[in-house]
Amino acid sequence: MQNFYRIVLVVLCSVSITMAQQIKTPSEFLGYELGTQFSRNHQVVDYFKHVASTMPNQVKLEQYGETYERRPLIHAYISSEENMKNLETIRENNLKNAGIMSGAPSNTDIVIVWLSYNVHGDEASSTEASMNTIYKLLTERQELLKNTVVIIDPCINPDGRDRYANWYNETKSTPFDIDPQSSEHSQPWPGGRANHYLFDLNRDWAWTSQKESIARIKVYNKWMPQIHVDFHEQGINSPYYFAPAAEPYHELITDWQRDFQFQIGRNHAKYFDPQGWLYFTRESFDLLYPSYGDTYPTYMGAIGMTYEQAGGGRGALGVKTSEGHVLTLKDRIAHHTTSGLSTVEISSKNASKLNEEFNKFFKNDGLKYKSYVMSGNPEKIDALKTLLDRHEIAYGYATSKKVTGHKYSTNANGSMNTTSNDLVVSTNQPKGKMIKALFEPNAKLSDSLTYDITAWSLPYAYGLETIASTSLVSSQSRLAPPPPVPPLSKTYGYVSDWNSLKDAKFLAMLLNKNIKVRFNHEPFSQNGNTFNRGSLIILQRDNTHIENFTIELSEIAVKNQQRLKEIQTGFSDKFPDMGSSSIRLINKTRIAMISGEGTSSLSYGATWHFFEQQLKYPVTSINSEDFGRVNLAEYDVLILPSGSYRSMLNDSGMSKLQDWMRSGGKVIAIDRALSTFAGKKGFGLKYNDNDDDNESNNLIPYADRQRESAKNMITGAIFKTNVDNTHPMAYGYSKDYFTLKLGGTSYSLLDRGSNVAHIGDDVMKVSGFAGINAQKGLKNSLVFGEERQGRGSIIYMVDNTLFRSFWENGKLFFVNAIFFANN
Ligand SMILES: [Zn+2]
């Protein structure tokens, strides 16, 4: 009997082993042939769950976060059984090899390959390919897993991808229509590319403004792969793009990182050529801006790459290209699967070398600047620290009294007296190269023609005076925590300063709680304290409608770490007194914003995110197509995100808007929205003509045309502006402000309005690329301005301070425009 049981047991065991290895193909699991439908995100998640539960010894699935629309974000870790048993040791060895974790690694023969799919939601073949890739890795390419840990993120952007997939599934013809003019190849606004808040997640790796990015970067820094691939799609007529990348390369990129891109490219060619598949390399997609899925990993020591398959939102299930060929989803999946597996293969072949070079990357002796020392408003420093913490970059506080080096405000050598509150970030740490990429005053360009912005230097973005020092600046690791915010006592009133987004959030919270707040147009002093313009003044008399007002205010102040100064009287030592007309009540401003057709989805999304997730103040979105029937009297402020308003603001739309402004409404127009008003009757806004460009373009050789046109371009560059900080829109700012310019369009100074921030005679560019003609056009040009329109006004924001949500120091201009301007 015993034998019988033993036999049964053995039979059962062997059955379970065979069963365990029988993962279903994606087609079997999904119930349709892969590439004949767009899978929804939950189906993809289910397939990965199926694989992980069928082969638990080789696959581990982890939910690392959740999207704004509550879809799970998942990673699969795939390797050999033996490696999976030691997964944590492998991870730690890798961090030790980079010097991020202390101690010597016990083994450096295993390479970590991270494959990220579908960051752009409507580049939808790649998530399908991720299922195929994990299947093939575990069935056909097991040998590669002996010395690799493959991390697969099947979809970085599930909200965007489902937006695309759901729209496509409900729109498509049966059978699908390959005519590129048919509706299934043309997505409605805003398309599926971006995430819930319409952010381009492939511009957000460094700034981590979105919850998807925050969650991913946390895991990324835990693993620090040697290889990272970001799978994309491009126009339907460009076949396939893979490494090596195009110039410009950031100077930080090592020879090895360049070389290995060639090896990877050649390996892909080996698989693409026998099939006759077309591809191109070394064009279009450069490695500079640090917030992409290829550059961020590159500055973190990996070979970071973008692969681009023809298709994207127009690709659908099949489309006829301009060459008459039918490109199908099946083709697209096959290409992305092939390049993914080829990446794992070449990485596996070079595992030791990749580890050796990875180790070298983190030695940072050769960097020019050893320390960056930053001084300024503590709340702005705190905001920067939050960002540094996300990337696990270490920092300390200044211990010396004075530092010298490159001074950011003057863009020249200089010095700065320091205090123990000043932040020191030094490059003698493993992430020194990333620090250089983020902080250096002016990224060196190897070529002016780039794919994206060429300037982002964090000291300018956060509005901190900074010295970059070529010698190491001493620092201490911890600052004594500030004393707790004391509770308030019942008195005449309370005053808060106004310098940072944190102050703005405090205001929003007070208004949301129906607390009445005032602000001052003139500085005043009481009891030895001087209160600058824009200070928030909360008076006991204004808030008798709130029970236990002092206690409630006190609780809010403590919760926000907001230090209020108590004032005992309305009588100021220096004017004005609290009853003065220059101390104004801030109304609970009712804000509307235009969305939909015509608006830039990115600009709209950044503004939407700003209100909901940062300021936390209500805003009503109005579809541009509904403008004609909207009752504007319901709102105090109307925001026009960047975009084209030609159809919304036709003759009748424009007169409706002007009538509303005359009766007190305030328009805030951002970036390209300004073109709707330039040169129009009733508006003083004019283009700044750049008339000294008389050279004839006729004789420029055809091949140089693109390069020649760069003279008129500004590709995200930083300029110094002069600020009139007596204007309400500039309260809380100093006389200088560094602005990020995204394009070459410039406007003249306003004759009859206020030029709140402008560029003068002297155009001072501190960072980034700006063509020679475009720079001339900036002479005496408007950056931010306000013009009265009857009882209301229009605010011109030539530069979009909410762009990608990372220009922290510009956000208060926007808040001021809402609450203070024309009040
Ligand atoms: Zn893309």
Side-chain angles (χ1 to χ4, degrees):
M1 284 298 272
Q2 262 203 338
N3 269 348
F4 171 76
Y5 278 122
R6 203 168 284 155
I7 290 160
V8 168
L9 206 64
V10 168
V11 169
L12 278 176
C13 282
S14 55
V15 166
S16 79
I17 287 164
T18 345
M19 290 295 285
Q21 289 173 340
Q22 275 179 2
I23 48 171
K24 291 182 183 167
T25 65
S27 301
E28 285 164 356
F29 184 85
L30 295 165
Y32 49 83
E33 194 188 347
L34 195 69
T36 60
Q37 299 283 346
F38 282 102
S39 309
R40 294 188 178 84
N41 187 66
H42 72 90
Q43 296 175 292
V44 180
V45 172
D46 286 348
Y47 182 67
F48 274 78
K49 280 183 181 165
H50 156 73
V51 173
S53 64
T54 313
M55 297 186 75
N57 297 337
Q58 283 201 263
V59 183
K60 186 184 136 200
L61 204 61
E62 181 181 83
Q63 180 176 346
Y64 68 92
E66 191 183 73
T67 68
Y68 289 106
E69 295 171 18
R70 305 188 313 279
R71 292 186 177 86
L73 294 163
I74 59 166
H75 279 142
Y77 301 84
I78 307 132
S79 196
S80 67
E81 279 195 42
E82 196 190 329
N83 290 338
M84 290 307 284
K85 281 183 211 145
N86 302 315
L87 201 57
E88 184 60 10
T89 312
I90 292 170
R91 186 183 75 79
E92 287 182 3
N93 275 334
N94 188 48
L95 294 184
K96 285 174 183 169
N97 189 35
I100 292 167
M101 192 179 258
S102 59
S106 54
N107 182 326
T108 54
D109 289 341
I110 291 167
V111 64
I112 298 162
V113 183
W114 185 309
L115 307 175
S116 289
Y117 295 87
N118 233 136
V119 60
H120 291 145
D122 57 1
E123 298 170 5
S125 75
S126 73
T127 286
E128 311 286 346
S130 76
M131 294 187 274
N132 210 21
T133 305
I134 191 172
Y135 177 79
K136 285 182 183 286
L137 265 178
L138 288 163
T139 51
E140 298 167 16
R141 304 305 304 269
Q142 271 286 350
E143 85 281 2
L144 301 180
L145 298 173
K146 282 191 189 123
N147 64 350
T148 62
V149 172
V150 181
I151 302 174
I152 289 185
D153 187 332
C155 190
I156 286 187
N157 176 16
D159 290 351
R161 189 178 192 282
D162 265 4
R163 190 181 317 128
Y164 174 76
N166 289 335
W167 166 80
Y168 182 78
N169 291 341
E170 71 191 38
T171 306
K172 81 174 195 75
S173 316
T174 305
F176 60 82
D177 191 338
I178 58 167
D179 180 350
Q181 299 190 77
S182 68
S183 58
E184 65 191 80
H185 302 285
S186 169
Q187 292 176 82
W189 191 96
R193 177 182 174 92
N195 77 339
H196 172 76
Y197 282 111
L198 306 179
F199 272 67
D200 183 334
L201 292 178
N202 190 34
R203 305 292 185 277
D204 196 47
W205 280 68
W207 319 138
T208 53
S209 71
Q210 301 300 294
K211 70 190 290 196
E212 292 91 344
S213 311
I214 295 171
R216 175 175 5 95
I217 289 301
K218 199 170 175 167
V219 191
Y220 190 93
N221 278 278
K222 257 175 86 178
W223 278 92
M224 298 288 287
Q226 282 86 35
I227 305 284
H228 180 266
V229 184
D230 208 30
F231 289 89
H232 287 258
E233 291 192 324
Q234 55 192 349
I236 56 173
N237 299 315
S238 309
Y240 197 97
Y241 163 84
F242 51 69
E247 296 285 348
Y249 278 25
H250 195 286
E251 57 172 327
L252 283 170
I253 295 169
T254 64
D255 290 346
W256 162 252
Q257 285 174 317
R258 284 172 181 255
D259 291 350
F260 199 65
Q261 293 219 3
F262 276 84
Q263 292 195 46
I264 291 176
R266 292 228 159 82
N267 205 58
H268 296 348
K270 199 175 83 189
Y271 289 99
F272 275 54
D273 289 343
Q275 309 281 347
W277 294 342
L278 287 175
Y279 51 85
F280 65 95
T281 66
R282 288 159 283 183
E283 291 173 61
S284 298
F285 302 99
D286 59 67
L287 293 173
L288 189 71
Y289 172 75
S291 209
Y292 289 134
D294 54 13
T295 44
Y296 181 91
T298 300
Y299 301 150
M300 289 292 204
I303 315 295
M305 292 166 295
T306 291
Y307 297 169
E308 300 266 357
Q309 161 63 44
R314 296 195 67 208
L317 288 182
V319 67
K320 199 162 153 190
T321 69
S322 61
E323 294 179 350
H325 156 79
V326 177
L327 169 73
T328 64
L329 179 60
K330 285 187 190 172
D331 299 333
R332 290 150 65 194
I333 295 170
H335 303 162
H336 266 341
T337 306
T338 302
S339 64
L341 292 171
S342 162
T343 303
V344 181
E345 180 185 82
I346 188 79
S347 306
S348 165
K349 274 187 191 154
N350 292 276
S352 298
K353 178 73 174 160
L354 278 163
N355 274 290
E356 191 186 313
E357 293 290 338
F358 194 65
N359 172 278
K360 281 190 212 158
F361 180 90
F362 294 93
K363 309 251 185 283
N364 293 314
D365 311 330
L367 299 175
K368 178 179 169 191
Y369 294 121
K370 308 294 182 210
S371 295
Y372 299 89
V373 185
M374 282 151 283
S375 172
N377 177 277
E379 289 156 6
K380 291 178 183 172
I381 289 186
D382 280 347
L384 178 59
K385 276 156 56 182
T386 303
L387 186 77
L388 297 176
D389 288 341
R390 290 206 181 123
H391 302 297
E392 300 180 18
I393 289 171
Y395 49 82
Y397 299 91
T399 52
S400 53
K401 292 272 175 286
K402 192 178 174 184
V403 288
T404 55
H406 178 89
K407 192 170 190 173
Y408 282 58
S409 63
T410 56
N411 201 27
N413 274 334
S415 65
M416 183 169 84
N417 294 323
T418 55
T419 73
S420 59
N421 291 317
D422 296 343
L423 200 67
V424 181
V425 180
S426 296
T427 54
N428 65 343
Q429 55 178 309
K431 289 172 185 164
K433 292 197 176 74
M434 179 54 98
I435 293 167
K436 175 180 159 70
L438 296 174
F439 284 85
E440 69 186 325
N442 196 358
K444 208 191 228 169
L445 292 171
S446 58
D447 192 321
S448 57
L449 292 175
T450 158
Y451 188 60
D452 210 290
I453 63 171
T454 52
W456 49 79
S457 181
L458 288 183
Y460 294 118
Y462 280 76
L464 297 169
E465 176 61 291
T466 298
I467 294 275
S469 165
T470 51
S471 53
L472 195 66
V473 173
S474 64
S475 64
Q476 59 184 13
S477 60
R478 207 162 273 126
L479 202 61
V485 172
L488 301 171
S489 55
K490 189 167 180 181
T491 184
Y492 186 86
Y494 314 88
V495 186
S496 160
D497 60 8
W498 183 260
N499 296 303
S500 68
L501 188 58
K502 181 165 173 276
D503 300 326
K505 289 177 183 174
F506 178 63
L507 170 63
M509 187 174 283
L510 296 177
L511 294 176
N512 287 338
K513 292 192 182 278
N514 291 316
I515 292 174
K516 291 224 186 309
V517 186
R518 295 169 185 264
F519 73 107
N520 56 326
H521 279 303
E522 294 299 331
F524 69 96
S525 61
Q526 279 205 18
N527 238 340
N529 295 313
T530 297
F531 299 104
N532 293 326
R533 292 185 176 91
S535 298
L536 302 179
I537 301 159
I538 306 143
L539 300 181
Q540 197 72 239
R541 69 164 308 277
D542 289 333
N543 290 291
T544 50
H545 57 289
I546 295 170
E547 230 183 301
N548 299 322
F549 170 66
T550 308
I551 294 170
E552 175 158 357
L553 180 65
S554 196
E555 280 171 6
I556 298 171
V558 170
K559 193 176 159 203
N560 288 276
Q561 288 294 296
Q562 194 77 14
R563 285 168 201 280
L564 303 181
K565 295 220 168 72
E566 298 185 352
I567 53 171
Q568 273 79 33
T569 170
F571 193 97
S572 297
D573 301 335
K574 190 181 153 250
F575 285 132
D577 296 328
M578 292 307 108
S580 161
S581 64
S582 68
I583 293 190
R584 314 281 299 178
L585 207 54
I586 303 172
N587 293 315
K588 196 167 175 188
T589 311
R590 299 163 305 168
I591 306 170
M593 161 166 72
I594 301 296
S595 68
E597 217 50 70
T599 63
S600 148
S601 61
L602 294 170
S603 175
Y604 166 74
T607 315
W608 177 22
H609 180 263
F610 179 74
F611 278 108
E612 278 187 17
Q613 297 291 331
Q614 298 177 63
L615 193 61
K616 299 198 163 58
Y617 191 83
V619 62
T620 297
S621 291
I622 290 172
N623 197 315
S624 59
E625 282 153 358
D626 295 336
F627 184 74
R629 49 178 182 271
V630 161
N631 178 12
L632 287 179
E634 297 288 323
Y635 314 103
D636 306 305
V637 172
L638 180 71
I639 296 163
L640 304 180
S642 185
S644 162
Y645 292 90
R646 252 172 307 175
S647 110
M648 183 183 103
L649 297 178
N650 55 14
D651 289 350
S652 67
M654 187 60 99
S655 61
K656 177 175 177 167
L657 190 75
Q658 284 177 303
D659 287 347
W660 174 73
M661 283 194 282
R662 273 185 220 112
S663 60
K666 184 160 58 181
V667 166
I668 300 176
I670 299 171
D671 193 359
R672 286 191 293 114
L674 270 65
S675 67
T676 314
F677 304 99
K680 293 277 166 61
K681 194 165 165 261
F683 300 95
L685 188 71
K686 287 186 298 244
Y687 289 109
N688 209 14
D689 281 331
N690 168 24
D691 45 23
D692 31 324
D693 180 27
N694 297 323
E695 284 169 52
S696 162
N697 278 332
N698 301 339
L699 297 176
I700 295 164
Y702 182 76
D704 295 343
R705 283 276 163 111
Q706 195 191 8
R707 211 154 274 285
E708 188 62 22
S709 73
K711 285 188 177 169
N712 299 312
M713 286 177 2
I714 293 179
T715 47
I718 302 171
F719 293 86
K720 185 172 183 171
T721 70
N722 308 307
V723 177
D724 171 8
N725 62 359
T726 66
H727 187 282
M729 200 186 152
Y731 289 174
Y733 285 93
S734 67
K735 295 257 176 216
D736 300 331
Y737 167 74
F738 290 89
T739 195
L740 176 68
K741 275 216 166 285
L742 300 171
T745 307
S746 65
Y747 297 91
S748 309
L749 299 178
L750 299 170
D751 291 332
R752 289 188 319 258
S754 305
N755 295 291
V756 181
H758 77 282
I759 293 173
D761 269 332
D762 210 9
V763 178
M764 180 172 155
K765 182 192 67 132
V766 294
S767 184
F769 175 78
I772 182 165
N773 294 342
Q775 287 209 47
K776 278 186 209 154
L778 289 178
K779 217 170 170 183
N780 295 312
S781 72
L782 185 70
V783 175
F784 305 130
E786 186 193 22
E787 191 174 64
R788 292 301 293 268
Q789 299 278 326
R791 288 172 54 208
S793 74
I794 181 164
I795 285 167
Y796 301 119
M797 299 192 76
V798 178
D799 296 341
N800 178 6
T801 60
L802 303 179
F803 173 75
R804 295 183 190 166
S805 192
F806 84 105
W807 206 257
E808 203 63 23
N809 195 33
K811 292 174 182 173
L812 204 60
F813 278 115
F814 183 70
V815 178
N816 287 340
I818 292 167
F819 295 107
F820 292 168
N822 197 26
N823 181 351

